[in-house]
Amino acid sequence: MKKHQFYFVPIILASLLIGCQNTPDVATAEKMVREFNAKLQQQPYQTFEQNTSPDYVFINGEGGFVTKEQMVGMAKDLKFEKWDLQDLKVRALDNVLVATGVNHHSILGTDGKVSSFQTAFTYIYQVKGGKLEQITMQHTHVQKETNEE
């Protein structure tokens, strides 16, 4: 029995060290989140399709739940005029990143009108193969929506 315990301890230590190596530092984590956000602005459909988890959920400003399938469907016609991350704070927890802050959104609708609003957000990602996969996105309205033509 002691012989097996001898082998078990180095395996546990090695797995802990490998796990710690997956945790990005704060600067790297923030850069990863900003790069994900830039990709989302440029290619919303592809980003939601390829870079979100299968059980992804968006919790909108009204408290409603939107699944990945629903989000991908909405993103086909989605065009962002603006989607900035202000007061961004990122916390890395092993292979999970939690990002919070305030977003100023401007979205061009299919009717040609621009909807603008401000939300406080919480985004949760997992790091897979050095890339981010978004698990959930949550918004709380800070400023109500305005419409412009």
Side-chain angles (χ1 to χ4, degrees):
M1 182 72 171
K2 288 185 179 184
K3 183 178 176 182
H4 295 291
Q5 288 175 343
F6 177 76
Y7 293 114
F8 189 65
V9 171
I11 291 170
I12 289 175
L13 290 174
S15 65
L16 288 173
L17 287 173
I18 290 169
C20 291
Q21 291 174 356
N22 291 333
T23 305
D25 59 62
V26 174
T28 302
E30 184 175 325
K31 181 181 178 200
M32 292 172 81
V33 169
R34 290 195 184 279
E35 287 172 354
F36 186 95
N37 185 65
K39 182 178 178 182
L40 179 64
Q41 277 187 275
Q42 295 166 3
Q43 301 174 323
Y45 175 79
Q46 291 86 349
T47 303
F48 283 119
E49 178 69 31
Q50 300 168 7
N51 301 103
T52 56
S53 66
D55 56 352
Y56 169 88
V57 66
F58 168 52
I59 305 162
N60 64 28
E62 290 78 36
F65 288 87
V66 180
T67 66
K68 177 177 181 166
E69 182 179 311
Q70 292 167 322
M71 200 65 168
V72 168
M74 290 187 296
K76 287 181 181 179
D77 299 319
L78 199 58
K79 291 185 178 62
F80 292 112
E81 297 281 312
K82 180 180 181 182
W83 182 291
D84 63 1
L85 303 176
Q86 294 186 349
D87 196 27
L88 178 64
K89 294 175 188 74
V90 180
R91 175 97 189 251
L93 308 163
D94 196 22
N95 69 332
V96 174
L97 301 183
V98 178
T100 63
V102 176
N103 243 333
H104 295 269
H105 308 272
S106 292
I107 300 173
L108 180 63
T110 54
D111 58 0
K113 293 182 180 179
V114 176
S115 297
S116 298
F117 48 97
Q118 184 179 22
T119 59
F121 67 85
T122 302
Y123 300 153
I124 301 176
Y125 309 88
Q126 60 186 349
V127 181
K128 281 185 140 183
K131 295 183 180 183
L132 288 187
E133 179 179 80
Q134 195 168 55
I135 300 169
T136 190
M137 176 190 307
Q138 185 273 328
H139 288 168
T140 301
H141 287 293
V142 175
Q143 177 188 8
K144 292 293 181 185
E145 181 178 340
T146 59
N147 293 310
E148 305 165 14
E149 294 199 36

